[in-house]
């Protein structure tokens, strides 16, 4: 356990810190772009799905989780060690998920403090699920292409495709909570597991470079 904690803390210090700072700035500036006061459930869902969803792209770094191994020599070195690469990726992923959970909680807390009325548990689960899914798209793409920027781009493209074509994406469409729907969570959670698990296992097996 100690070696895993050491690996995780090293990654945070060397690779993850800039993304944490961006996420903190993102949260601090949110009040300039959206209102948190006197919102009903639909308006609160809009804040989470149209603004906070960008945390799925920026958020504390799902996409940079493969960054240390972008160099093939480093990938080979890490792969030769006793600790499997997928375990390192999982540690990083869990850390990123924990930060995302905090970000979602902060947004909902701000709305509650602003006298907004919504189902806290339902909106938290739906927001966390949607944001994880959006981040997972970039996570998978960056993992198999070894291109962090391409991963960011694919997440952004998917977000904007949903603005005009969400009806064609079924249960994997974003912005469903604004319509009062919540049956997307299970299919989307399964997609998150598939994309993150597939990305980690493929990245461990191949350097893609």
């Amino acid at each position: 356990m100690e070696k895993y904690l050491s690996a995780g803390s090293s990654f945070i210090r060397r690779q993850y810190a800039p993304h944490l700072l961006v996420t903190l700035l993102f949260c601090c500036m949110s009040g300039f772009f959206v209102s948190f006061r006197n919102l009903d459930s639909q308006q609160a869902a809009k804040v989470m799905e149209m603004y906070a969803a960008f945390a799925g792209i920026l958020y504390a770094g799902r996409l940079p989780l493969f960054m240390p191994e972008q160099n093939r020599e480093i990938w080979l070195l890490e792969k030769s060690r006793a600790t499997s690469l997928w375990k390192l990726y999982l540690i990083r992923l869990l850390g990123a998920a924990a930060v995302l959970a905090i970000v979602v909680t902060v947004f909902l807390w701000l709305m509650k403090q602003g006298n907004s009325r919504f189902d806290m548990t339902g909106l938290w689960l739906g927001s966390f699920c949607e944001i994880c899914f959006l981040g997972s798209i970039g996570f998978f793409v960056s993992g198999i292409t070894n291109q962090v920027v391409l991963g960011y781009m694919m997440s952004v493209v998917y977000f904007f495709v949903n603005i005009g074509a969400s009806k064609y994406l079924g249960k994997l469409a974003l912005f469903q909570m604004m319509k009062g729907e919540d049956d997307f969570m299970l299919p989307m959670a399964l997609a998150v597991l598939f994309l993150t698990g597939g990305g980690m296992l493929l990245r461990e097996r191949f350097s893609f470079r």
Side-chain angles (χ1 to χ4, degrees):
M1 179 60 71
E2 184 178 349
K3 66 178 180 180
Y4 296 133
L5 292 176
S6 176
S9 62
S10 176
F11 175 74
I12 290 173
R13 292 195 309 272
R14 298 178 182 180
Q15 302 288 339
Y16 204 39
H19 299 277
L20 287 173
L21 291 175
V22 170
T23 302
L24 177 61
L25 181 62
F26 176 81
C27 292
C28 290
M29 294 183 63
S30 60
F32 293 101
F33 300 101
V34 294
S35 172
F36 295 107
R37 299 184 62 82
N38 302 313
L39 305 179
D40 59 25
S41 58
Q42 184 179 16
Q43 292 169 328
K46 185 175 182 179
V47 169
M48 297 306 295
E49 293 186 304
M50 297 298 294
Y51 184 81
F54 274 100
I57 303 170
L58 301 172
Y59 90 86
R62 259 192 172 217
L63 303 183
L65 299 184
F66 297 128
M67 192 175 290
E69 290 78 31
Q70 276 194 298
N71 183 289
R72 180 175 172 80
E73 286 70 29
I74 295 177
W75 177 82
L76 289 171
L77 176 61
E78 294 287 356
K79 190 173 173 62
S80 67
R81 293 180 175 176
T83 303
S84 301
L85 273 176
W86 72 266
K87 293 181 180 179
L88 292 177
Y89 296 147
L90 182 60
I91 292 168
R92 298 170 186 174
L93 187 62
L94 291 175
V99 173
L100 175 59
I102 294 171
V103 170
V104 172
T105 303
V106 167
F107 270 94
L108 297 184
W109 179 82
L110 288 172
M111 288 191 289
K112 278 294 186 183
Q113 294 303 303
N115 198 34
S116 297
R117 300 171 301 282
F118 56 88
D119 175 15
M120 184 78 166
T121 301
L123 189 55
W124 193 99
L125 290 173
S127 300
F128 187 80
C129 189
E130 279 196 15
I131 296 172
C132 277
F133 175 66
L134 186 61
S136 296
I137 295 171
F139 178 86
F140 182 80
V141 172
S142 64
I144 65 174
T145 63
N146 200 34
Q147 298 293 326
V148 173
V149 174
L150 185 58
Y152 277 105
M153 289 176 59
M154 289 305 297
S155 290
V156 172
V157 168
Y158 191 84
F159 180 87
F160 284 106
V161 165
N162 273 266
I163 294 178
S166 61
K167 62 182 179 181
Y168 301 110
L169 299 174
K171 298 302 180 185
L172 297 182
L174 304 177
F175 316 139
Q176 296 194 54
M177 290 187 295
M178 285 189 285
K179 303 174 184 177
E181 299 178 6
D182 59 6
D183 57 347
F184 65 92
M185 284 190 271
L186 180 57
M188 201 168 278
L190 293 175
V192 170
L193 292 176
F194 174 80
L195 290 170
T196 54
M200 285 191 293
L201 294 177
L202 288 171
R203 184 62 179 165
E204 179 180 36
R205 187 173 179 83
F206 306 106
S207 68
F208 294 100
R209 192 177 182 88

